[in-house]
């Protein structure tokens, strides 16, 4: 089997139909390709179920609304389509990429007159941490670009255009021998990495940046829930990069990354400590619970319709 993304066996749900993988195509004059107007999700399949499926589908709808468009599918319909295409691909573990975009009827800055499309592509992906990462953590650096202010862009949307600087920073980090980059927000506070949220252990408390116009991670919410179950205090607050010096543990979390320990930030070493290890074990159990497809701690996405762009 070829390893390129467009030349594989399998099925992709595309505007209501389940198509053979190679037939799921968009035209080169598609609005989203030129102007970044696609919104998407990244989901994981564990034991045949998509973890927090309802929350991801709702966040997708909400991301489109933040870009001022409506998906022609409801959250339960998107959930159902996802289950159907995961089943068609007979996947018990893997990754799912739903993507909605504005089409090719007209081309210009305005998307008025384009239709909205939705595709859902699942594929096999194990994503287990290597022993080296599990025991030593990843090696990260600070990014140069920052997350945008609310006056600059709707940063809460998981929108293609917002990944422009993430991609530049991730590539810059990889080329310099790091695994990822940490991004500050427009006020110089710690925000997130190029594709995951961040937690620090300071003293006996878990600390994570309060969501300020960057992605409200579904894994981040799950981590807060797991920590609270263990009776740990979690502070969601402004975190300045200087506070990295006070932290004993640092980890990133996201759907694809799961919980990944940070072993060093620009040469400053961190231990893979007891809080990170406990949460990694808790998360491995949580994603396999039979009721894992629901909203979990991310139920607020279900009521996201009022989160319209200004
Ligand atoms: N921030 C960014 C920029 C991301 O791409 C992701 C991954 N979707 C996250 C945070 C974590 O979000 P989630 O836990 O919902 O996957």
């Amino acid at each position: 089997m070829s390893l390129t993304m467009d030349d594989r066996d399998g099925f992709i749900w595309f505007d209501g139909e389940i198509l053979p993988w190679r037939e799921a195509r968009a035209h080169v004059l598609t609005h989203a390709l030129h102007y970044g107007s696609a919104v998407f999700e990244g989901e994981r399949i564990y034991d045949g179920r998509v973890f927090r499926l309802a929350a991801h589908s709702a966040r997708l709808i909400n991301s489109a609304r933040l870009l001022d468009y409506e998906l022609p599918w409801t959250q339960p319909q998107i959930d159902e389509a996802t289950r159907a295409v995961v089943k068609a691909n007979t996947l018990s573990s893997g990754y799912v990429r739903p993507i909605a975009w504005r089409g090719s009827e007209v081309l210009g800055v305005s998307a008025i007159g384009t239709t909205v499309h939705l595709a859902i592509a699942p594929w096999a992906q194990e994503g287990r941490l290597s022993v080296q990462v599990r025991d030593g953590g990843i090696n990260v650096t600070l990014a140069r670009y920052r997350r945008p202010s609310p006056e600059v862009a709707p940063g809460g949307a998981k929108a293609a255009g917002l990944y422009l600087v993430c991609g530049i920073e991730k590539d810059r980090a990889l080329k310099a021998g790091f695994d990822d980059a940490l991004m500050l927000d427009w006020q110089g506070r710690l925000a997130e990495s190029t594709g995951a949220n961040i937690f620090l252990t300071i003293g006996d408390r878990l600390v994570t940046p309060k969501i300020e116009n960057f992605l409200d991670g579904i894994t981040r919410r799950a981590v807060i829930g797991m920590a609270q179950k263990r009776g740990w205090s979690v502070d969601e607050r402004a975190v300045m990069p200087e506070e990295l010096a006070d932290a004993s543990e640092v980890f990133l979390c996201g759907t694809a990354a799961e919980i990944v320990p940070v072993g060093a930030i620009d040469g400053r070493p961190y231990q893979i400590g007891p809080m990170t290890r406990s949460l990694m074990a808790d998360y491995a159990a949580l994603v396999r619970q039979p009721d894992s497809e629901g909203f979990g701690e991310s139920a607020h996405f279900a009521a996201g319709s009022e989160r319209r762009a200004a």
Side-chain angles (χ1 to χ4, degrees):
M1 193 180 81
S2 154
L3 284 181
T4 65
M5 291 311 298
D6 59 352
D7 187 18
R8 299 179 170 224
D9 295 330
F11 298 94
I12 293 177
W13 188 99
F14 196 108
D15 286 343
E17 280 180 273
I18 292 185
L19 297 183
W21 193 276
R22 297 175 183 83
E23 291 174 25
R25 295 190 171 275
H27 195 268
V28 69
L29 295 180
T30 295
H31 185 274
L33 182 61
H34 297 248
Y35 302 105
S37 58
V39 292
F40 64 100
E41 280 297 316
E43 303 166 354
R44 284 286 287 274
I45 310 162
Y46 299 94
D47 296 340
R49 288 182 299 271
V50 174
F51 180 62
R52 300 281 194 260
L53 173 59
H56 282 286
S57 302
R59 189 172 68 181
L60 183 74
I61 291 169
N62 196 45
S63 292
R65 285 181 180 156
L66 286 167
L67 271 60
D68 213 24
Y69 65 98
E70 285 293 325
L71 300 195
W73 308 92
T74 64
Q75 176 250 311
Q77 286 172 330
I78 299 170
D79 288 356
E80 207 35 58
T82 308
R83 287 190 198 100
V85 72
V86 167
K87 201 167 163 212
N89 285 282
T90 58
L91 291 171
S92 68
S93 73
Y95 185 83
V96 189
R97 168 55 52 88
I99 181 158
W101 70 96
R102 313 200 69 166
S104 51
E105 289 80 4
V106 291
L107 190 71
V109 171
S110 167
I112 295 172
T114 61
T115 53
V116 175
H117 301 271
L118 174 64
I120 307 170
W123 60 88
Q125 185 169 292
E126 272 309 321
R128 283 208 193 94
L129 296 184
S130 66
V131 174
Q132 192 194 350
V133 167
R134 202 188 58 213
D135 295 343
I138 58 167
N139 190 12
V140 306
T141 185
L142 279 191
R144 291 187 212 158
Y145 281 115
R146 294 183 173 192
R147 304 310 295 150
S149 77
E151 288 79 26
V152 168
K158 194 166 169 64
L162 287 164
Y163 278 86
L164 174 68
V165 293
C166 298
I168 293 171
E169 290 297 351
K170 178 84 179 187
D171 287 353
R172 199 204 315 269
L174 292 175
K175 286 180 197 159
F178 295 96
D179 299 302
D180 203 354
L182 295 182
M183 303 191 77
L184 305 182
D185 72 7
W186 74 102
Q187 293 190 331
R189 304 170 291 200
L190 266 186
E192 55 181 352
S193 78
T194 64
N197 291 115
I198 182 167
F199 281 82
L200 290 68
T201 301
I202 301 181
D204 61 355
R205 304 178 79 82
L206 263 184
V207 178
T208 191
K210 188 166 171 275
I211 303 291
E212 298 276 10
N213 208 46
F214 59 87
L215 197 71
D216 186 348
I218 290 166
T219 320
R220 175 184 177 280
R221 297 255 171 192
V223 167
I224 292 172
M226 296 187 303
Q228 286 169 344
K229 257 196 198 131
R230 282 186 173 264
W232 298 344
S233 307
V234 183
D235 298 334
E236 292 181 75
R237 61 167 174 82
V239 185
M240 297 310 290
E242 296 74 46
E243 293 186 68
L244 289 167
D246 306 329
S248 55
E249 302 177 34
V250 179
F251 64 84
L252 305 182
C253 70
T255 298
E258 301 182 316
I259 295 178
V260 57
V262 172
I265 303 176
D266 284 324
R268 183 198 303 279
Y270 292 94
Q271 58 159 330
I272 318 305
M275 279 187 155
T276 307
R277 287 194 190 285
S278 304
L279 290 166
M280 287 166 78
D282 289 355
Y283 190 69
L286 182 74
V287 295
R288 289 182 174 80
Q289 284 180 2
D291 63 349
S292 63
E293 286 191 344
F295 280 99
E297 298 80 5
S298 298
H300 60 293
F301 285 123
S305 51
E306 69 277 9
R307 292 174 150 217
R308 283 194 168 271

